[in-house]
Amino acid sequence: MWVDWREKPKLVRIDSGNQTAKEQTQPLESGQFPMPIHLEVKVPVKDRYQAVRLIVAVGGSQWKKDSRAPHRAIEFHPDRTAIDTETGKHLKQYYSRLL
């Protein structure tokens, strides 16, 4: 998942099955560059030809601790496509893979 740092994310979280990965960011000091955020969840997949669904949440500069961050559900398909489950639109991808 790629997050635009111009959104000033305070929280980045992904959930799939019963797995969760999240990171709360710290404010940047003057002249400091943001570090990439790498989140990963591993969920067992019984059928490699089925899509894997996960929830992606990004809490921007207005996000408060213990509040729900804006989120979307995404399905990753074995053909390396990602679809927003609410709109049905294909999402831009730099790279995705299902191991």
Side-chain angles (χ1 to χ4, degrees), residues 9-29:
K10 291 182 180 179
L11 170 77
V12 179
R13 176 181 171 145
I14 56 176
D15 298 291
S16 186
N18 62 356
Q19 301 292 314
T20 297
K22 67 180 178 178
E23 183 172 323
Q24 286 183 264
T25 63
Q26 301 299 320
L28 296 175
E29 300 291 329

Side-chain angles (χ1 to χ4, degrees), residues 39-58:
L39 298 177
E40 181 178 305
V41 294
K42 293 183 181 184
V43 292
V45 176
K46 293 179 182 173
D47 183 352
R48 294 182 64 82
Y49 299 104
Q50 290 294 318
V52 174
R53 182 179 288 207
L54 58 98
I55 306 293
V56 176
V58 178

